[in-house]
Amino acid sequence: MPQYRIDRISDEIRRVIDRIIREELNDPRVSGTFSITRVETTRDLRYAKVYVSVLETEKSDDMIKALKGAAGYLRRAMGNELSLRYTPELQFVADKNIEYGMHIADVLKQVMKNQGSSEDET
């Protein structure tokens, strides 16, 4: 299967899963500000790895557990909406890129502050 088709299907899965989670999933652990950043679908469309970024990092683990628990419901609802030969099995993963980016920004601020104070001493 051509890569552009897999990418298109992955994007469609991302869109549909995001809508289903926000509108239909009634789990208190799935709340707050989150984003499905990307979906990686295998070439045979059997599995889809769903990357979820949660703004409140302390809620991230609970949310991933809730989504893993609701994976069957989400897969069935997604299958009803998308016309695919196989509805991929969903695997939810916490996306730590935003947290890592914030850490890098903090380190850069600290370096810049230290560099500014050392220039003042010379």
Side-chain angles (χ1 to χ4, degrees):
M1 185 177 300
Q3 185 62 38
Y4 67 87
R5 183 164 185 265
I6 293 172
D7 291 343
R8 193 179 80 231
I9 290 170
S10 294
D11 191 51
E12 192 67 17
I13 289 171
R14 185 195 57 76
R15 185 188 62 77
V16 169
I17 290 295
D18 187 53
R19 186 198 60 73
I20 293 169
I21 290 171
R22 292 183 191 282
E23 295 176 6
E24 298 177 23
L25 200 60
N26 294 323
D27 189 326
R29 297 175 295 175
V30 181
S31 63
T33 306
F34 70 92
S35 175
I36 296 180
T37 55
R38 70 183 187 277
V39 173
E40 293 176 355
T41 307
T42 58
R43 291 181 59 81
D44 63 359
L45 300 178
R46 299 285 181 170
Y47 300 94
K49 192 177 284 189
V50 181
Y51 290 88
V52 181
S53 177
V54 182
L55 189 59
E56 298 126 355
T57 56
E58 63 276 356
K59 292 184 178 181
S60 180
D61 291 337
D62 286 341
M63 185 162 181
I64 295 298
K65 286 178 188 174
L67 291 173
K68 285 180 180 179
Y73 171 78
L74 293 169
R75 183 180 184 194
R76 188 171 47 258
M78 179 183 66
N80 290 338
E81 196 162 326
L82 298 176
S83 56
L84 298 172
R85 180 175 293 170
Y86 303 109
T87 304
E89 184 177 320
L90 302 173
Q91 301 169 336
F92 292 94
V93 178
D95 188 353
K96 305 282 186 181
N97 287 339
I98 292 176
E99 184 180 336
Y100 181 71
M102 289 171 50
H103 170 70
I104 294 297
D106 290 341
V107 169
L108 288 173
K109 282 180 191 176
Q110 187 66 33
V111 167
M112 295 302 287
K113 187 167 61 169
N114 289 343
Q115 192 176 36
S117 64
S118 65
E119 287 178 3
D120 293 339
E121 292 173 3
T122 55

